[in-house]
Every structure is written in structure tokens, then in C-alpha cells.
Amino acid sequence: MNIIHLQAVANEEPSAAELAAIDAEWPVIAAELDVLDAEIALITAGPAASALDRRRVRRAERRALAARRELTADQAKDGAA
């Protein structure tokens, strides 16, 4: 029994608008990947995690928030124009 229902897409490529949206969101995606990397390093360190490991997570979270804030501001500016 297959519980995943995916329809095959026949020769459909992303549109220019979809590619532009991905490109605009890429800084957020990259920042969130940095958060994930920092969290994995912290978890992997276990009890040996240092203050530097925790600081790395906090900095990555701040960069992710800044990227989201910038994307939201850009979207609001584009919507107002």
C-alpha cells in the first residue's frame, strides 16, 4: 500500500516567476541550513558542548531572523509598489 500520493509531472519546468521566488528566498534557506548545521553540531557534541557551540547556534538564529526580516521587507516593498 502506497501512502504517498505523488502525481508525475510530465515535462514541466519551473516558471520564471517560480525561479525568481526561489532566488529571492535563497538567503533565508541558506540561513536556516546554517541553523540546522549549528544545531546538529551542538547535539553531536552532547555533554561536551561548549559555550562556543551554543553561541554558534544563537548567531545562526540571528542571521536567519535577519534574512527573514529582509525578505519580508522586500516583499512588503514590492507589494506596495
Side-chain angles (χ1 to χ4, degrees):
M1 178 166 103
N2 187 0
I3 60 171
I4 300 174
H5 302 287
L6 298 176
Q7 296 179 353
V9 178
N11 297 327
E12 267 193 50
E13 296 292 327
S15 69
E18 291 169 331
L19 290 173
I22 292 169
D23 191 44
E25 291 179 19
W26 190 253
V28 174
I29 295 167
E32 289 177 351
L33 287 173
D34 289 343
V35 171
L36 183 61
D37 287 342
E39 289 174 338
I40 289 171
L42 181 67
I43 291 168
T44 303
S50 68
L52 183 62
D53 294 322
R54 290 184 285 280
R55 188 178 323 149
R56 182 176 175 221
V57 171
R58 287 193 308 271
R59 285 181 178 170
E61 288 172 341
R62 279 195 303 271
R63 285 191 301 270
L65 285 172
R68 286 187 204 115
R69 210 172 21 248
E70 185 176 327
L71 177 62
T72 302
D74 289 346
Q75 289 173 341
K77 185 172 41 173
D78 291 343

